[in-house]
Amino acid sequence: MNENPTFGPATGIGSLPGGDAREAVKAATGTFDDFPFLPELPARGPGADMIGRTAGMLVEMYARVEPSGWRLGDRPGRDTKRARSWLGEDLDALEEFTQGYEGQLKVQAVGPWTLAAALELRNGELALSDLGACRDLAGSLAEGIRLHLDELRRRIPGARLVLQLDEPSLMAVLRGQVRTASGYRTHRIPDRQIAEAVLREVIGVHGDGPVVVHSCAPDVPFAFLRRAGAAAVSFDFSLLTERDDDAIGEAVEGGTRLFAGVVPGTDGPLSDPAGSVSGVRTLWRRLGLHPGLLAEAVTVTPSCGLAGASPRYAWEALAHCVQAARSLADNPE
């Protein structure tokens, strides 16, 4: 992993509204000319959602939709084929709009613990119930992501790929808050070192490329993610409390990039760009960090995915991230 990689000043999280791949990719590449991302369009249905999309990347493991959710099975069915077809459609659009592009490009996949907390085994229990299944799932995921990154390098040879792993369920897993199928019990907490090693295996598939871990849940485990090899941590800035100060200060001083989600993910009035990052400046002062480091240490993003927003608001929110990042760079104090 790169020790101190540099990142663009602003980017999106992943999901966007609607079902038109070309329109979404055009917005993602046109808004962030130095740090575009591959959009996800869950409104298309099962297989375009983040779990189904990532399940479609798995190698020698397949998932199908059951009434209770996604379940692992023996062979690829229509749900796997649909997920792979939509991903191919998205890659075609991305290739079209990045002809000759040279620069950073972010792609997303669900991380191993959130996947284990979402995919059911054949017996109906989550993969999380079986440590061996968690390890197998992580290995299959790592290989699937490796192949996905290879495909992106082939299609967009000038891109410097940034991998984002979405782990919104990570803290629930680490705290034993994920319920069993019956709903009466919760799954056992995995050993912290094993949990870290499993995540490190998937992060390591990107080799020297930078990996961002994203969570829009409270209490993001900054130190845990850094130890697992994350070069950057992406989070909902509004969920931070002063309890997080020490971990954030250590992360910044250790060279970890912060992807600060400061622009709301659902429709509503947007403040002026300077106002959107005022909390980041306040945090910086509270931590006693040098204002000149702000632009080097922070990438501005929406607070989470924008799938629940109207298309008009989503495009405005993406543009607002660029403007807010500019404000942060121009007026760090």
Side-chain angles (χ1 to χ4, degrees):
M1 182 209 70
N2 245 330
E3 281 304 312
N4 289 300
T6 57
F7 293 93
T11 192
I13 293 296
S15 68
L16 291 177
D20 187 324
R22 291 184 77 257
E23 182 185 17
V25 169
K26 184 178 180 181
T29 56
T31 305
F32 304 107
D33 54 9
D34 51 6
F35 199 5
F37 65 101
L38 174 63
E40 301 161 2
L41 302 173
R44 291 181 295 197
D49 60 299
M50 72 176 199
I51 298 298
R53 185 181 182 90
T54 300
M57 294 182 193
L58 297 175
V59 172
E60 294 181 1
M61 295 181 88
Y62 311 101
R64 64 180 185 273
V65 178
E66 298 283 344
S68 54
W70 284 91
R71 181 172 295 183
L72 292 166
D74 295 323
R75 60 184 67 84
R78 66 174 184 224
D79 298 316
T80 298
K81 291 170 184 170
R82 189 189 298 123
R84 291 176 177 175
S85 173
W86 274 327
L87 180 57
E89 187 181 306
D90 296 342
L91 291 174
D92 288 344
L94 185 69
E95 186 176 4
E96 176 187 346
F97 284 100
T98 52
Q99 291 294 313
Y101 175 71
E102 293 184 354
Q104 287 189 317
L105 171 66
K106 183 169 72 68
V107 296
Q108 305 82 223
V110 175
W113 290 110
T114 295
L115 205 59
L119 290 181
E120 297 174 354
L121 301 173
R122 293 175 185 82
N123 64 6
E125 283 294 351
L126 295 175
L128 189 59
S129 65
D130 181 332
L131 183 58
C134 290
R135 289 186 182 278
D136 290 346
L137 189 58
S140 174
L141 174 63
E143 181 62 12
I145 289 174
R146 185 186 68 77
L147 294 172
H148 181 51
L149 295 173
D150 284 349
E151 171 80 351
L152 282 153
R153 290 187 191 101
R154 185 184 66 75
R155 288 175 177 256
I156 312 161
R160 299 194 308 279
L161 298 177
V162 175
L163 172 64
Q164 175 181 304
L165 294 176
D166 292 318
E167 281 283 16
S169 300
L170 178 61
M171 279 312 295
V173 170
L174 295 179
R175 288 178 170 166
Q177 295 169 338
V178 180
R179 294 202 168 276
T180 59
S182 69
Y184 294 122
R185 294 184 300 111
T186 54
H187 288 285
R188 200 166 41 190
I189 299 172
D191 177 88
R192 198 86 170 188
Q193 288 184 310
I194 292 173
E196 193 179 299
V198 166
L199 182 57
R200 187 183 299 113
E201 176 188 359
V202 180
I203 287 175
V205 79
H206 196 20
D208 290 333
V211 177
V212 186
V213 178
H214 167 70
S215 173
C216 49
D219 301 322
V220 175
F222 288 92
F224 174 93
L225 296 176
R226 290 175 59 218
R227 287 195 304 271
V233 180
S234 172
F235 55 94
D236 181 342
F237 192 85
S238 71
L239 297 179
L240 289 184
T241 68
E242 292 195 19
R243 287 198 315 269
D244 298 304
D245 281 8
D246 288 347
I248 291 174
E250 287 171 14
V252 172
E253 288 174 351
T256 303
R257 182 81 171 196
L258 305 180
F259 281 46
V262 297
V263 179
T266 52
D267 290 41
L270 290 168
S271 71
D272 66 291
S276 292
V277 286
S278 62
V280 180
R281 293 190 184 94
T282 301
L283 171 68
W284 230 245
R285 287 194 293 272
R286 201 163 71 226
L287 295 176
L289 294 167
H290 191 278
L293 281 175
L294 257 177
E296 293 175 27
V298 174
T299 293
V300 175
T301 72
S303 58
C304 205
L306 292 163
S310 67
R312 179 177 176 179
Y313 175 83
W315 311 154
E316 287 177 357
L318 295 181
H320 193 83
C321 289
V322 174
Q323 295 160 357
R326 197 171 295 133
S327 167
L328 206 56
D330 293 345
N331 303 293
E333 297 186 70

